Amino acid sequence: MAGLLSRSLLRAGTSIAPKQASTLLRGSIRAQNLPRRIYAQASLKSYSRNFTTPPWKQQYRTHTYDSGDGNPPVKIQIHEPPSFFKRALHFTGRVLGGIFIVTFGSVIALVIYEPDMIVTTEAVRMAMHPEEGISDDRTLEIEAYIQNHPIVQKFRDDPSLIETRPHLDIPTLLRPNVLTAGVLTGPDRIAVPPLVFTDGEGKKLFAILHVGEQLCGLPGVIHGGLLATLMDETLARCCFPALPNKIAMTANLDINYRAPCKANQFVVIKAETTKVEGRKAWVSGRLESLPLPGAEGDGKLLLEASALMIEPKNIGTLMREVPNKDSMAASPRAAIEGA
């Protein structure tokens, strides 16, 4: 019925006496000379329109008019737009809801596609497969052996040493492009990321890791080229803090193999920076088998190496142009690939 009344009559409804309002209503209806079924159709259209209108927009003020003469009261609903306060409140709710949905969706995406970025439990991160984010029983056994070894406990008790896991600092998306953190990792290879202890000044470094049977050159014997790769990376990482831009490339690497390195064993690499001149650093190191718990002395010497590391002249400018400099510098191979 409200759709058939003039706007002026509806707005004036609150100031018109009930009897006068009833007279005006009946006069308006008779003047339009419309049958009752048209009023019913109009009411049905109004109902369907209101049914599809959002609930917060369906705001009406109901006016009741008594026509007298025993007739039932006439009720008229006048649509009123929501107030500024309600509009502002609904807008704020939608904005906050959108922010919540985007944030929640981002967290779900990280859980699915980048689990390493949100895992905070250090024990879980260290035993995690770098590429697939999973750990089998053998990998967990290797990790537990390293974590509980007396030599590791000895390094942890030394206040001058800092415990790190450099391969875990490399972003997940970059690990497949880093040889020792990507292709060479996994069960029966380098099962867990090397556990590294360094003095933070570029003078000495210790790395403990396990080498599996898929890294062999001959059956049961680790490939000499793999051992050279491990020594190259470890010696370079040892001297990084002593150089101006904390990065260098290998200029020379000399290796003397002293004994075969058997597969499926734990090894320890000991490195020491012997000399630093500007952008140059000389480093020496040893690769030994990790002694059994309770054994006295060092493990068996497997090879000795010395290297000359040189920081490129333009590396400072390059490192300033590359975003996330710290994560790129976590691995010497990653930095060299970027250079």
Side-chain angles (χ1 to χ4, degrees):
M1 183 180 293
L4 300 176
L5 299 178
S6 62
R7 185 177 297 274
S8 60
L9 175 60
L10 296 179
R11 291 181 176 175
T14 55
S15 62
I16 300 175
K19 188 173 183 179
Q20 294 176 347
S22 177
T23 304
L24 290 174
L25 287 172
R26 288 197 297 270
S28 177
I29 294 172
R30 284 194 296 269
Q32 297 182 53
N33 194 21
L34 298 175
R36 289 181 177 273
R37 59 186 179 84
I38 296 187
Y39 305 143
Q41 293 176 359
S43 300
L44 181 59
K45 292 180 180 179
S46 177
Y47 173 78
S48 62
R49 183 172 62 254
N50 293 336
F51 182 77
T52 58
T53 304
W56 64 273
K57 291 185 178 180
Q58 298 178 13
Q59 301 186 22
Y60 300 91
R61 177 182 295 178
T62 301
H63 302 272
T64 304
Y65 301 100
D66 188 1
S67 60
D69 301 331
N71 295 324
V74 178
K75 293 184 179 180
I76 300 177
Q77 289 184 334
I78 302 176
H79 178 266
E80 293 181 347
S83 63
F84 173 79
F85 174 76
K86 289 185 178 181
R87 293 198 302 269
L89 183 63
H90 287 299
F91 176 78
T92 303
R94 289 186 174 185
V95 171
L96 295 178
I99 294 175
F100 173 79
I101 292 174
V102 172
T103 304
F104 188 70
S106 301
V107 172
I108 293 178
L110 288 177
V111 171
I112 296 174
Y113 295 105
E114 291 291 335
D116 290 355
M117 295 179 63
I118 61 173
V119 175
T120 57
T121 304
E122 196 66 24
V124 176
R125 289 183 71 241
M126 289 189 291
M128 187 173 285
H129 189 297
E131 293 178 332
E132 302 176 4
I134 59 175
S135 297
D136 57 89
D137 293 339
R138 177 56 177 161
T139 301
L140 294 175
E141 291 176 2
I142 293 173
E143 178 67 18
Y145 185 88
I146 293 177
Q147 293 291 332
N148 298 314
H149 198 279
I151 290 183
V152 173
Q153 301 301 324
K154 177 182 177 182
F155 290 155
R156 286 174 175 165
D157 293 337
D158 189 342
S160 65
L161 297 179
I162 303 171
E163 181 179 348
T164 63
R165 223 61 186 268
H167 288 172
L168 293 181
D169 294 331
I170 303 173
T172 306
L173 295 177
L174 296 181
R175 289 180 192 173
N177 299 327
V178 181
L179 181 61
T180 56
V183 176
L184 297 179
T185 61
D188 295 326
R189 287 171 283 174
I190 301 177
V192 298
L195 185 62
V196 177
F197 294 87
T198 177
D199 64 348
E201 299 179 358
K203 296 180 180 180
K204 57 183 178 179
L205 181 147
F206 304 95
I208 301 174
L209 66 152
H210 180 272
V211 287
E213 60 184 7
Q214 292 185 7
L215 304 176
C216 295
L218 296 174
V221 180
I222 298 298
H223 196 292
L226 173 75
L227 299 179
T229 299
L230 294 177
M231 292 301 298
D232 177 40
E233 179 175 297
T234 304
L235 296 181
R237 184 174 287 116
C238 175
C239 71
F240 280 170
L243 297 173
N245 290 288
K246 319 301 180 186
I247 195 67
M249 299 178 68
T250 305
N252 178 266
L253 177 64
D254 292 327
I255 295 180
N256 293 312
Y257 295 93
R258 302 302 184 187
C261 178
K262 296 181 180 181
N264 287 322
Q265 73 165 322
F266 296 87
V267 297
V268 55
I269 301 176
K270 303 175 181 179
E272 180 182 6
T273 302
T274 58
K275 183 180 179 182
V276 178
E277 289 184 358
R279 298 182 294 106
K280 296 181 180 181
W282 287 262
V283 194
S284 62
R286 299 160 53 96
L287 188 146
E288 305 172 354
S289 61
L290 188 66
L292 294 175
E296 297 182 359
D298 297 333
K300 183 178 182 180
L301 176 62
L302 303 177
L303 68 83
E304 294 177 305
S306 61
L308 169 61
M309 303 291 174
I310 301 179
E311 181 180 291
K313 293 182 180 180
N314 60 343
I315 196 67
T317 303
L318 177 63
M319 296 297 287
R320 284 190 293 270
E321 293 176 353
V322 175
N324 201 8
K325 167 184 173 182
D326 295 336
S327 62
M328 290 293 295
S331 170
R333 296 300 97 186
I336 291 173
E337 289 292 336

